Amino acid sequence: MKSLVALALLALALPALVLANTPPLLAPQAAAIAQKDLDDRGLQTEIFIADMRYKKASFGDKAHWEVLWSDSFPAQTEGRDEIGLKIFMDGNYSRSVR
């Protein structure tokens, strides 16, 4: 009987543990933000999303989606190329340049 109660508690707790590790901003939402950025700048026929990775929070860096473009292109900062976006869990983003 005790094992059934323990099993039932585990079954109820497991979905909560899985959901606790889910990022607040999901991959499709991050992809939509990145695509809208390309569309707003008229780059949708030249540049595409090549890679997306979820980066957990680490030393001084917030959790974010790293979106990499299919090709780099000149950034707003002279002498630099834009390679993608960092999309944070609140929907704000910054451009990744090198």
Side-chain angles (χ1 to χ4, degrees):
M1 184 67 169
K2 288 182 183 179
S3 61
L4 285 176
V5 171
L7 186 61
L9 288 174
L10 180 62
L12 292 173
L14 192 56
L17 291 174
V18 170
L19 291 176
N21 291 328
T22 302
L25 184 72
L26 299 177
Q29 296 166 309
I33 290 169
Q35 189 61 50
K36 183 175 180 335
D37 180 71
L38 289 174
D39 294 345
D40 290 348
R41 296 192 286 164
L43 297 170
Q44 69 274 17
T45 60
E46 303 167 33
I47 306 294
F48 308 96
I49 297 171
D51 192 18
M52 264 183 71
R53 296 168 192 244
Y54 176 68
K55 301 286 189 165
K56 292 182 180 181
S58 62
F59 306 104
D61 204 10
K62 298 181 211 176
H64 64 277
W65 286 98
E66 180 181 67
V67 177
L68 299 177
W69 301 137
S70 58
D71 197 10
S72 62
F73 55 92
Q76 294 173 342
T77 305
E78 190 174 327
R80 299 223 175 215
D81 287 332
E82 183 173 326
I83 60 169
L85 298 177
K86 271 187 180 181
I87 303 175
F88 301 99
M89 295 300 114
D90 62 0
N92 290 316
Y93 61 90
S94 64
R95 303 189 190 291
S96 297
V97 296
R98 68 172 130 149

